[in-house]
Amino acid sequence: MELQTGREALVRVAVATLWTSPEAVRPVDGPALAAGADISAWISGMDTDQQVGDCVLSQLLLGERVLVSELRPDGWARVVAVEQPAAKLDPRGYPGWLPADHLTPVDPTLAGDPLVVDATVTGLRAEPHGPVVVPGVVVGTRLVPAGPACDGWQPVHVPGQPTPLWLPDGDLAPPSTEPPDAEQVLAVAQRLLDVAYVWGGLSAYGIDCSGLVHLAWRRFGVLLPRDADDQAVATTPLPLGAERPGDLYFFARPGRGIHHIGIVTAAPGGEQRRMLHACYRRRRVIEEALPDDRTATLVGAHRV
């Protein structure tokens, strides 16, 4: 089967990067564009200014669905990431470009309730205890089981792979059947403390503020919009003072739209408000009391 415009496809690499255009990529982006999409090498090869370049829109996880809208002869595909809502950009999902060889056609014969990767980072192996075939698979990735578990290992179907690959049972969780508690979501986000801030990032190698929120809820099957302003629209406002850990803080400068989001980590009380967030200024995921300049731009607390 080949990719076709107007049809859905699946991401076949652990983490694919969604770009503003093929012409926007830089020499430093080579590892992210390679056939295996080495996101760890890409991020470690950038300086902090390159990590916040505006050529990156978002990232997509292994097995994520996209709608292919254009295929270029030079190997690029324009797609809509249908699992990343972005109402202001496209009602179908987040639009952008990625290398076509990071995609594979949907195999209609591979169906079933997916398991969810719960390990922060793991690798898919050719056999139990065998060599890693697909490294860098991150939390929130969903994979269809390829049979029963065996001696603590689970076979899974992997887009673009001819045979099932294997993960330790402990790296997987069953799909969520009920909405998660806010504390469960916060616990996932806390595992990403000190991860590098990368504009458009959506992985345990690099992430931005709205990506942290999207990924933490995605682990439990809740698909929030990708960008902070859309996340505000999709969540329920609370009176300031009614927030609790796992709720969301939104920030905007006077007369401007929402530009930042964080996850509440402490109930309001005698201490300052606290949050976990991917911090552009500090270039990493941190948990902190809101400094005065943050408090000055706090425009609301919301609940998912």
Side-chain angles (χ1 to χ4, degrees):
M1 293 189 295
E2 295 184 351
L3 297 176
Q4 297 180 38
T5 57
R7 303 289 294 273
E8 285 196 350
L10 301 176
V11 173
R12 62 178 294 165
V13 296
V15 180
T17 301
L18 194 67
W19 306 88
T20 56
S21 72
E23 292 72 31
V25 299
R26 308 155 297 181
V28 75
D29 299 323
L33 302 171
D38 191 339
I39 299 303
S40 177
W42 174 56
I43 291 174
S44 64
M46 291 190 287
D47 61 35
T48 54
D49 288 336
Q50 291 169 328
Q51 288 174 352
V52 296
D54 59 5
C55 54
V56 175
L57 293 170
S58 186
Q59 291 184 307
L60 294 79
L61 307 186
L62 176 66
E64 188 166 341
R65 294 181 302 119
V66 302
L67 177 64
V68 179
S69 55
E70 182 180 345
L71 292 167
R72 290 197 347 183
D74 61 359
W76 282 88
R78 185 166 62 181
V79 303
V80 176
V82 299
E83 297 181 52
Q84 298 189 27
K88 67 181 183 296
L89 300 175
D90 190 313
R92 301 171 297 176
Y94 217 111
W97 293 84
L98 76 170
D101 64 1
H102 289 180
L103 299 172
T104 189
V106 175
D107 184 345
T109 67
L110 301 182
D113 293 331
L115 300 169
V116 184
V117 173
D118 188 47
T120 307
V121 179
T122 189
L124 289 156
R125 298 175 182 268
E127 58 191 37
H129 304 290
V132 173
V133 177
V134 182
V137 177
V138 302
V139 63
T141 300
R142 297 190 297 280
L143 298 166
V144 175
C150 179
D151 294 329
W153 289 80
Q154 173 66 53
V156 292
H157 295 293
V158 180
Q161 296 292 329
T163 59
L165 301 180
W166 295 78
L167 278 175
D169 263 350
D171 287 355
L172 293 162
S176 300
T177 56
E178 297 181 357
D181 294 333
E183 290 79 4
Q184 292 176 286
V185 179
L186 177 57
V188 170
Q190 286 171 326
R191 285 157 46 189
L192 301 175
L193 273 168
D194 291 323
V195 166
Y197 183 100
V198 173
W199 184 268
L202 191 68
S203 84
Y205 295 106
I207 203 159
D208 64 16
C209 65
S210 57
L212 178 66
V213 171
H214 176 91
L215 188 62
W217 262 270
R218 183 172 176 157
R219 155 63 185 86
F220 298 97
V222 179
L223 288 184
L224 291 180
R226 176 60 180 86
D227 290 341
D229 52 351
D230 290 330
Q231 289 170 349
V233 174
T235 52
T236 302
L238 303 168
L240 278 174
E243 66 269 23
R244 65 188 186 211
D247 290 332
L248 305 173
Y249 284 137
F250 289 93
F251 301 85
R253 298 180 183 90
R256 306 285 294 275
I258 288 168
H259 70 272
H260 191 61
I261 185 173
I263 304 174
V264 178
T265 57
E271 298 182 5
Q272 286 180 284
R273 291 185 169 94
R274 301 189 66 87
M275 71 174 177
L276 176 76
H277 64 133
C279 181
Y280 179 94
R281 301 169 186 170
R282 303 271 290 277
R283 296 292 204 270
R284 60 188 177 91
V285 177
I286 62 174
E287 195 276 338
E288 64 173 352
L290 270 60
D292 290 344
D293 57 346
R294 267 304 174 208
T295 299
T297 59
L298 176 63
V299 294
H302 288 216
R303 182 164 295 159
V304 177

